[in-house]
Amino acid sequence: MILAPHEPSAAQRRRQAYRRRQTVTSVLVAAASTAALGTLLVVAVTGAPGWDRVRASFADPAIARDALPEVLAGLWLNVRLLVCCAAGALLLGLLVAILRTLRGPVFFPVRALAAGYTYTFRGLPLIIVLYVLTLGVPGLRLQGMPPVLVLGGLALVLTYGGYLAEVFRAGIESVHPSQLAAARSLGLTYRQTMRHVVLPQAVRRVAPPLLNDVVALQKDVGLVSLAGPIDAVRAAQIATAETFNYTPYIVAGALFVLLAIPLIAVTDWVTLRAARRQGR
């Protein structure tokens, strides 16, 4: 038996047509309001007193063109440092979070050490950790001292590991204890329970704040320039010192924003997906 194709009723067709008209109208209104606001802002900024001096000091096309290759070369160092530090901070944060959630009095010293680490590095300003590790530690002149760039990356990993540890711990503790009991009743060990039951749910639940911390780390990798490595910020500083013009800093800032846009878009997508899953 062949069923006839479903034909929408007249009322349903009218509703669909109305929704299409509303969508088109909303898009046109949004585009018109955006264009109007953008035009107003451009006119207000370019017509303000002193705009010519601001443009000459911060938006000189010739200086931007000359500084761009060096700033791009420095940005590649920031990208590599971001990848390494993000991976290290995620692993360290996960390890500390697991240590903080261990049960039993015998693990109290481990929990205390993990808690002390998170309290310390969440309270310490990142710039102090950078100064201590990149300027103070090399002054000891110990044998086998790693390069300053490695010490700067270590400062970022230690600092962000404390933040990520609390995010992971919140995700682990959000899993209902009945799921742990059910897993143990099926014969799973504690390690198997954490690996197959708890951690997959915990990571899925805290993915948006984890990605937000990675976005923040993407900005803070520029602070390693304080220790001397020529990244995008240091390259912009050198170009500014040569020309006494701040356009290279604007170029470096624009590149950092472009670098952050994909991470921010992924974060928003993951957040929206988690909200829809929770709503269902």
Side-chain angles (χ1 to χ4, degrees):
M1 178 179 179
I2 300 176
L3 298 177
H6 172 70
E7 290 290 338
S9 63
Q12 187 174 1
R13 287 195 297 269
R14 286 195 299 270
R15 284 195 299 267
Q16 293 174 350
Y18 173 77
R19 289 171 182 168
R20 286 194 295 268
R21 290 195 301 270
Q22 287 294 104
T23 301
V24 173
T25 302
S26 299
V27 171
L28 293 177
V29 170
S33 61
T34 302
L37 181 59
T39 303
L40 181 62
L41 288 176
V42 170
V43 172
V45 171
T46 58
W51 165 246
D52 293 335
R53 294 194 302 272
V54 172
R55 183 177 58 184
S57 298
F58 296 98
D60 190 312
I63 294 178
R65 184 173 56 253
D66 294 338
L68 182 60
E70 297 297 330
V71 175
L72 276 175
L75 185 68
W76 174 236
L77 176 62
N78 291 117
V79 172
R80 289 179 292 168
L81 188 62
L82 170 63
V83 173
C84 297
C85 291
L90 287 169
L91 292 176
L92 179 61
L94 180 59
L95 175 62
V96 173
I98 293 175
L99 295 179
R100 287 202 66 182
T101 55
L102 292 175
R103 297 292 181 259
V106 70
F107 294 113
F108 175 77
V110 177
R111 293 196 301 269
L113 287 175
Y117 162 76
T118 56
Y119 291 163
T120 300
F121 283 95
R122 288 170 68 198
L124 275 175
L126 173 58
I127 193 169
I128 291 180
V129 183
L130 278 168
Y131 278 146
V132 170
L133 289 180
T134 60
L135 301 180
V137 172
L140 300 176
R141 298 183 179 179
L142 300 176
Q143 186 176 4
M145 182 66 63
V148 172
L149 183 62
V150 176
L151 293 174
L154 179 61
L156 291 168
V157 170
L158 290 174
T159 301
Y160 273 87
Y163 291 104
L164 295 176
E166 288 302 290
V167 175
F168 277 121
R169 185 170 72 95
I172 291 172
E173 293 182 348
S174 69
V175 179
H176 199 275
S178 62
Q179 299 195 35
L180 280 75
R184 298 303 296 272
S185 67
L186 292 174
L188 273 68
T189 63
Y190 178 80
R191 187 174 68 175
Q192 291 173 332
T193 301
M194 292 295 294
R195 177 183 176 184
H196 298 290
V197 178
V198 178
L199 289 182
Q201 298 183 68
V203 172
R204 190 184 307 116
R205 293 178 181 181
V206 299
L210 287 177
L211 291 173
N212 280 327
D213 285 335
V214 173
V215 172
L217 176 61
Q218 178 264 329
K219 297 182 298 181
D220 285 343
V221 293
L223 292 176
V224 298
S225 63
L226 297 172
I230 301 180
D231 66 337
V233 178
R234 177 67 70 178
Q237 183 183 21
I238 294 172
T240 298
E242 293 174 349
T243 61
F244 299 100
N245 189 287
Y246 292 94
T247 302
Y249 280 127
I250 303 301
V251 173
L255 291 177
F256 271 102
V257 171
L258 293 176
L259 180 63
I261 286 176
L263 291 174
I264 296 173
V266 172
T267 302
D268 292 341
W269 177 76
V270 171
T271 303
L272 181 60
R273 183 183 178 188
R276 289 176 176 173
R277 185 188 300 115
Q278 186 176 1
R280 289 197 298 267

